[in-house]
Amino acid sequence: MRTPVKGVNTFKIAATYIGTIVGAGFASGQEVFQFFTTFGIGGIWGIVLATILFFFFGYSILLLGSKLQAQSHVQIVHFTNGKIIGTIIDIIITVFLFGALAAMIAGAGAITEQQFGIPPLFGTIVMAVITLLTVLTGISGVINAISYVVPVLLASVLFITIYSLIGNPITQEEIQIANELEGAAPNWFISAINYASYNLVIAIAILGPLGAQAKSHRSLFWGALLGGLGLGIGVLAINFSILTSIIESSQVEVPMITIAEQISPVIQLIFAVVLFAEVYTTAVGNLFGFGSRLNFIKKKKTVVIISTLLAFAVSQIGFSAMVEYLYPAVGYGGMLLLIGIIYAWVFKRESLT
């Protein structure tokens, strides 16, 4: 497993940031539904807050990765949170990288079942195999692949949203229905922080080493800004799309495919393919990060193979169940990381400038 090529530019930083996060939960609409849509108007304010958090903490992690020349997330969490709390966060990140990998594999199964009527087992097997093969052969090419997939995904999401809003404008009744549904957190404020937190737990495994490969601090800043804005716009668009079909969306594992289906079967198929590609890039990032953390084990390939097999087994729990229970739990634990980063900005600022 190799790290990304040196000298990555602003666009690749932004695309990799977005691509690491917009896997099965994000692009499928399941995460957005549970963390924002269920709060109605409050969910929009939550999206604004989450976007700001994505920019600030994303930039902080990239900058720390550059200053510390991080090879994994370990150097960063020990610097921001100290050895004891940093070790706890390290365990949380490592466990969640594995859990998120299982969620991506489960998401692939949900996509193949909902789109093609094929048993989810088929999709999970395909995703597990191609993810394993990619990480075994090196991840540098995946950074380039993400650069192409991310713009297509965002363009697809925006198209579906605009089409849905024109053909089926959001009504007060739909917002009221959304408010009556149960979300993943008690209110939109906590939900936004939790959402950003667990996503950053995933992203730090890639953003830390990526910061060490960047061309300049300027590219880190603009990469984080464009990445954060891209994520925010994507979440907002998906949220509006789900609100236009709130009843149907609340009953399926992949709401965005259901919404795309209402436009045309062709759009539905195209979006399903793009979504599957995004799940793949996120799964690769998670497996790479998990494998990198276990680099103290000499037989790296064996570790990656066994990890993939175990993640495949865990994925059989089901996609929506993992998003509903695993993600919020990790998000609360990941808040320790966010507090540590803020502490580093205040009391260790000289080390970052």
Side-chain angles (χ1 to χ4, degrees), residues 98-170:
F98 175 80
L101 170 63
M104 294 305 102
I105 295 173
I111 293 169
T112 55
E113 181 182 35
Q114 190 169 324
Q115 172 62 42
F116 304 106
I118 299 173
L121 182 63
F122 174 79
T124 58
I125 291 174
V126 171
M127 184 56 66
V129 170
I130 61 175
T131 300
L132 173 61
L133 292 176
T134 301
V135 174
L136 287 177
T137 55
I139 198 172
S140 59
V142 176
I143 301 301
N144 292 324
I146 292 174
S147 300
Y148 294 107
V149 175
V150 165
V152 175
L153 174 74
L154 292 179
S156 301
V157 166
L158 289 174
F159 172 78
I160 292 172
T161 300
I162 293 171
Y163 193 100
S164 299
L165 288 173
I166 292 174
N168 184 23
I170 300 171

Side-chain angles (χ1 to χ4, degrees), residues 133-353:
L133 292 176
T134 301
V135 174
L136 287 177
T137 55
I139 198 172
S140 59
V142 176
I143 301 301
N144 292 324
I146 292 174
S147 300
Y148 294 107
V149 175
V150 165
V152 175
L153 174 74
L154 292 179
S156 301
V157 166
L158 289 174
F159 172 78
I160 292 172
T161 300
I162 293 171
Y163 193 100
S164 299
L165 288 173
I166 292 174
N168 184 23
I170 300 171
T171 65
Q172 184 62 42
E173 182 183 0
E174 287 166 331
I175 294 175
Q176 183 60 39
I177 292 172
N179 276 322
E180 293 173 357
L181 298 171
E182 185 177 353
N187 57 65
W188 67 262
F189 184 79
I190 294 177
S191 190
I193 297 174
N194 192 297
Y195 180 77
S197 176
Y198 80 74
N199 274 303
L200 287 163
V201 164
I202 295 176
I204 190 174
I206 298 296
L207 291 185
L210 189 64
Q213 307 294 330
K215 286 183 176 180
S216 64
H217 285 178
R218 182 183 177 85
S219 62
L220 295 177
F221 177 86
W222 286 105
L225 180 60
L226 292 177
L229 287 174
L231 288 167
I233 292 170
V235 172
L236 187 64
I238 292 171
N239 182 62
F240 284 151
S241 294
I242 294 174
L243 281 172
T244 63
S245 303
I246 186 64
I247 296 176
E248 296 87 344
S249 297
S250 65
Q251 298 172 350
V252 295
E253 294 235 302
V254 189
M256 287 301 289
I257 288 183
T258 297
I259 295 167
E261 182 183 16
Q262 296 172 0
I263 299 175
S264 83
V266 175
I267 297 297
Q268 179 190 17
L269 177 61
I270 292 173
F271 186 77
V273 172
V274 174
L275 176 56
F276 198 87
E278 271 301 339
V279 172
Y280 158 71
T281 59
T282 305
V284 167
N286 291 334
L287 180 56
F288 177 79
F290 185 75
S292 297
R293 180 60 191 94
L294 301 181
N295 58 5
F296 57 86
I297 300 176
K298 292 182 179 180
K299 296 182 178 180
K300 294 182 181 179
K301 289 187 176 181
T302 303
V303 169
V304 171
I305 293 171
I306 293 175
S307 300
T308 305
L309 290 173
L310 290 174
F312 170 76
V314 173
S315 72
Q316 304 310 305
I317 294 173
F319 177 49
S320 58
M322 296 190 74
V323 172
E324 183 177 0
Y325 298 109
L326 173 66
Y327 285 29
V330 173
Y332 288 119
M335 289 179 190
L336 290 172
L337 170 64
L338 306 190
I339 293 171
I341 291 175
I342 294 173
Y343 176 85
W345 269 107
V346 176
F347 296 103
K348 299 183 180 181
R349 188 60 183 267
E350 68 282 356
S351 300
L352 299 175
T353 55

